[in-house]
Amino acid sequence: MCEISEKVRTRDFFPTPKAYLECLNYIQSLVDSRCFLFESKDCDIDRVKDINGDWIDDVISHVIKCKNCG
Ligand SMILES: [Zn+2]
C-alpha cells in the first residue's frame, strides 16, 4: 500500500444514514482528486436513493482503486 492509500480513512460501519452519505462524498472526493478510480459501482454516488427517497438496494457497493499502487 502506498502513502496515498495509507491516508484513506476507513470505517467499519455507519451509525447513521448521514454518515454513509458523508462517506460517499468522501469517496467521490478521492476519485475527484485523480488519485483513485472506481473499480466497480452499483450506481453513481448521487443515485443511491430513488425518486421516492428510498435506498436503491439493501446493499450498495462502490469500490475504488488507487492509481498508484492498485
Ligand atoms: Zn495507493
Side-chain angles (χ1 to χ4, degrees):
M1 192 182 283
C2 74
E3 278 182 21
I4 299 167
S5 295
E6 280 175 2
K7 288 180 187 161
V8 172
R9 289 180 279 117
T10 61
R11 45 200 323 169
D12 296 327
F13 77 104
F14 304 106
T16 62
K18 185 168 178 279
Y20 173 57
L21 293 172
E22 286 170 357
C23 181
L24 287 176
N25 286 332
Y26 177 54
I27 289 171
Q28 185 65 56
S29 74
L30 291 173
V31 172
D32 289 345
S33 75
R34 302 185 183 279
C35 294
F36 294 83
L37 50 83
F38 282 109
E39 190 164 61
S40 69
K41 58 181 178 179
D42 290 341
C43 63
D44 286 337
I45 289 285
D46 59 356
R47 293 276 188 267
V48 292
K49 290 186 176 185
D50 63 23
I51 54 170
N52 298 318
D54 298 320
W55 302 111
I56 58 160
D57 207 341
D58 291 334
V59 177
I60 303 170
S61 170
H62 292 86
V63 179
I64 57 172
K65 179 177 178 175
C66 176
K67 288 183 182 176
N68 192 41
C69 69

